[in-house]
Amino acid sequence: MSFPLLSIVVFLPAAGGLLLLLLRKENEGEARALSFLISLVTFVASLPLFFGFDNSSAALQFAETRPWVPALGIQYKIGVDGISLMLILLTTFLTPIAILSAWKAVEDRVKAYYAALLFLETGMLGVFVAMDLVLFYVFWEAMLIPMYLLIGIWGGPRRIYAAMKFFVYTMVGSLFMFLAILYLYMAVPAHTFDVEVLARTLSNAETRLAFGAQMALFLAFGLSFAIKVPMWPLHTWLPDAHVEAPTAGSVILAGVLLKMGTYGFLRFAIPFFPEASRAAMPVISILAVVGILYGALMAMAQEDIKKLIAYSSVSHLGYVMLGIFAFNAHGIQGGLYQMLNHGLSTGALFLLVGAIYERTHTRDVNAYGGFAKLVPVYAVCLMIVTLSSIGLPGLNGFVGEFLILAGAFKADKLYAVLATGGVVLGAVYMLGLYQKMMLGPLRGAAASAAAGAPAPAHGAEVAAATPGAEPAAGAHAAPIADLTARELCYLVPVIAMCFVLGLFPNLFLRTMDASVQLLLSRL
Amino acid sequence: MPDIGSAELRVLLPVLAPLLGALAVLLTDPYLDKGRPKLPLVYIALGSLMAAWAALGFLWGDRVVAWSGALAADRFGLYLGFAIATAAGLTVLSSAGYARKMGVDCGEYYSLLLLATAGMLLLAMANDLLMVFLGIETMSIAVYCLAGITRERPRSVEAAMKYFLLGAFATGFLLYGIALIYGATGEVRLERIAHHAANRPLLLAGLGFLLVGFGFKVGAVPFHMWAPDAYEGAPAAVTGFMAAGVKAAGFAAFLRVLLTAFGGEAAAAAWAPALWMLAALSMIVGTLSALAQTNLKRMLAWSSVAHTGYALVGVVGGGGVAGNGSAAVLFYVLTYSVMTLGPFLVIALLSRAGEEFEQIDDLAGLARRRPVAAAALSLFLLSLAGIPPTAGFMGKLFVFRAAIDSGWLGLGVIGILATLVSVYYYLRPIVLMYMREPRAEFNASEPTDWASHFAIGVAALALLLLGVLPSDAIAASLESVRGLW
């Protein structure tokens, strides 16, 4: 075993989190700087994973195997393959950005906030690299705690409800998965939690499980992942969690956490239970299509910007599921690619919403209007991200959606046609949002701010009568400034990545090829 | 009477240490100033417990049977012996401040703690039924007194009374069971009882009575009635010691009797269904009742009933000595004793003179005033809920794995559902501590109780270590069960 690069990438943030907790309470600036530094170092440390990755191999790379609890057959086994590589990089890329975005927004218990973000990063990375079922489960569950605290402590007015809902929904799924993991251990003659061995054994026609057992276990695993995706109708925790979470929490939640469910299907549920997956394909495809359309329609009806984006996530993740369950190379690659796109675009959307919220203290669409005149740079950023989100060619969203729809057409035309309808709806709600916020005459908070006078009665009414609007004395009176240097610092890399992924898709798609082929061969 | 050789003395060392400590405490107490903190007593108690620890470590190794086979110093008994001695030590540390606040900073308090510990260690090593009885009585009588030691608090007295009356009743069952078994076999030594065919009605009736008696001591439904009142009424430090030590010692003896005397297939077929019921009922009733509690101690009492159920899942799924369910029970009880003691240490720390800190609602905003206490309590609760990377998760993993391996899927499902519900009541205090603003006042002005903080820190660290690096403890538990023969 050579240099344990992967372990360092995974545990560096947690080590930093512990270090932060040792700092004195008063050193808020140092806590911010330290956490940013650590997440940045983690990102840099994760780059060799990408550049040193062998695209032609489907085998586990940068793998480390050590006994952990040998008496119970549990190993510490981690590694990277084409399915997890880009998700790991997405995580290490978005965390420093999320940390930077929270620079001003969080003033209460700063140290703990950043520590929670760093612990969360370790948890997420652990989920993507774990190649032992128990190790995976440990990370999967442990990750809940920091996210729960992020929502529950630093969230909005209904944060406790949202945090509890988030926790309980996830626990319902994962405890059944826990039982299934233990059952799987017993059911396989090799008696192992090793993911590679299990995938090989269980996809082999001679050694796979009986169909009934496959179906039961697929349901147990699938329920847990479907909640996390979230698939319609298990999505109801998401709008609550998004609306109440602080900006950095939303970015991480949308950017990375929502990928765990789809990752789980690709890594565990599909290769372990191939026959059950095939049998479940029509049902999951229908649910995915319903999710696409339902999410889009709900997004159109929202007045709270964060809620709108949350429902758009339900729609986007529907595409990912549809692509994965097309069971062909295009669909699965498209699904994987769309996971990255969604992480970037939606992450960027939440960053932008957070930035404007810090100025206006409202997330109500009606309180905006004509902001493009006030904040031109912001408007340009929002335009790019909006176009990326609706899949304009040249930007990242297009590649993913195109591959998914191509894959879905090959699998079943009906679903593909319906899903295409979702693309149209996506353009409607996203452009509608842009229009309401940025174009037209100055309205609401902006009008009063532009006038430099206390808010007129109309604006105040709108702000007070709508959800998500917090009465913030004096907030309206301050002129609304354009993006600051710090904000550009974290927005520009994300937007740049949107272009890179849109213009040079092959750079990333080729890392996935071998692993996707291996997965397909197991189906 | 056999020759009292070195083996006899060696085996007795872990019991003798706290016993002598108890005497030393009583002899020292009259010479101490009334008005001042009785620190020498704390030092004596700690010293004797450390001696017990050292003796346990010294004996760890091959099985030594002494006193005509009445006592067995084997890894099986020593494994939970460590848990007992540790729990006692942490209790003493936390008592240094707590006993003063409650006005029981006296020799009796510490000597009773040590006597109970001696009884527990005796119970963990008991290898015949009479020694089991002796251990249980030594332990129980001391604990009854401890539960009622804050004489001015009516609830404490009520708790002691209830615990004593029901406990005496259960002891009766136990003794009756022992008598029937002796009648059927003419033996009290565990491994000799195993030689008799288990299908004799008299023996089975004896086994049944034993199950009732042990079921009571470990707090399994339907023999759990004493637990909520006793836990709530007894002073917090004592409750923690009760929850951790009594259960650990009870399970040690319970498991040893079942595995040694009734480990054969025919006998196991008789007790497994009965314990299945006890396990399922304990998990269900304990969990559902805990949901409704507003008093932290009472909630923890019901939670301890539920945890008895989880541990019993391992007993049922033990598959005798060959299976690793019994080892899972040992590991589970070890982790449980730490994670259930922890919250009581925190309660003891937060309590004010003569007034227990026990309402869940009073926890609101604790994280702002007492960040360390809040963080530790959260860790204990997360461990009780079985969330990784804490020891509680590893314990549940081990127990449920054993149950599913031996085909008890039904118990696994019940256990998972109970765990799911339990998340709600374990999380509620965390919500209050971290996400609400303070309502009650916390005694932040008092000087820091370092001993108590130290005890809490040790417990928290132990839980994290057992959760992240459990390998050695699990391997030792497997060896312990193998060494039983």
Side-chain angles (χ1 to χ4, degrees), chain B residues 17-18 42-57 85 89 93 114:
Chain B
V42 177
Y43 295 141
I44 294 173
L46 276 181
S48 65
L49 287 170
M50 272 192 246
W53 235 90
L56 290 169
L93 277 174
L114 292 173

Side-chain angles (χ1 to χ4, degrees), chain A residues 16-197:
Chain A
L18 286 178
L19 201 65
L20 272 188
L21 290 180
L22 296 178
L23 277 182
R24 287 172 62 86
K25 207 184 199 169
E26 297 77 38
N27 303 346
E28 293 183 352
E30 282 153 45
R32 289 192 176 101
L34 186 65
S35 61
F36 178 64
L37 191 71
I38 286 162
S39 60
L40 205 60
V41 170
T42 309
F43 173 61
V44 172
S46 71
L47 285 176
L49 297 178
F50 180 73
F51 293 109
F53 190 80
D54 178 4
N55 293 334
S56 61
S57 162
L60 218 51
Q61 306 187 26
F62 304 100
E64 293 170 38
T65 312
R66 278 186 205 107
W68 183 23
V69 193
L72 301 185
I74 306 170
Q75 308 176 69
Y76 172 78
K77 179 173 179 180
I78 59 175
V80 181
D81 70 357
I83 292 174
S84 54
L85 173 68
M86 290 315 297
L87 293 169
I88 293 167
L89 283 157
L90 180 71
T91 312
T92 56
F93 176 70
L94 281 179
T95 307
I97 287 171
I99 286 176
L100 207 54
S101 78
W103 213 263
K104 290 264 167 58
V106 173
E107 275 159 7
D108 182 32
R109 290 185 255 190
V110 176
K111 194 175 74 157
Y113 182 82
Y114 288 108
L117 274 176
L118 289 174
F119 284 124
L120 185 62
E121 186 179 10
T122 286
M124 296 185 300
L125 290 171
V127 166
F128 290 134
V129 302
M131 286 292 149
D132 179 282
L133 279 177
V134 173
L135 185 65
F136 162 76
Y137 187 82
V138 166
F139 282 122
W140 175 270
E141 286 277 277
M143 187 189 73
L144 275 182
I145 303 166
M147 192 66 218
Y148 167 74
L149 293 176
L150 278 176
I151 300 175
I153 299 180
W154 294 278
R158 287 170 71 234
R159 59 187 194 278
I160 295 174
Y161 169 78
M164 208 68 180
K165 197 167 172 183
F166 167 76
F167 203 101
V168 169
Y169 263 64
T170 315
M171 277 303 270
V172 171
S174 32
L175 280 171
F176 283 99
M177 180 166 73
F178 180 56
L179 207 60
I181 289 173
L182 294 178
Y183 185 83
L184 202 56
Y185 177 86
M186 187 209 66
V188 180
H191 289 315
T192 179
F193 291 118
D194 188 318
V195 176
E196 270 190 307
V197 176

Side-chain angles (χ1 to χ4, degrees), chain A residues 68 108 148 159 185-186, chain B residues 368 401 404 431 435 468 471:
Chain A
W68 183 23
D108 182 32
Y148 167 74
R159 59 187 194 278
Y185 177 86
M186 187 209 66
Chain B
R368 285 201 189 277
R401 196 190 88 126
I404 289 174
V431 168
M435 305 175 193
V468 178
S471 181

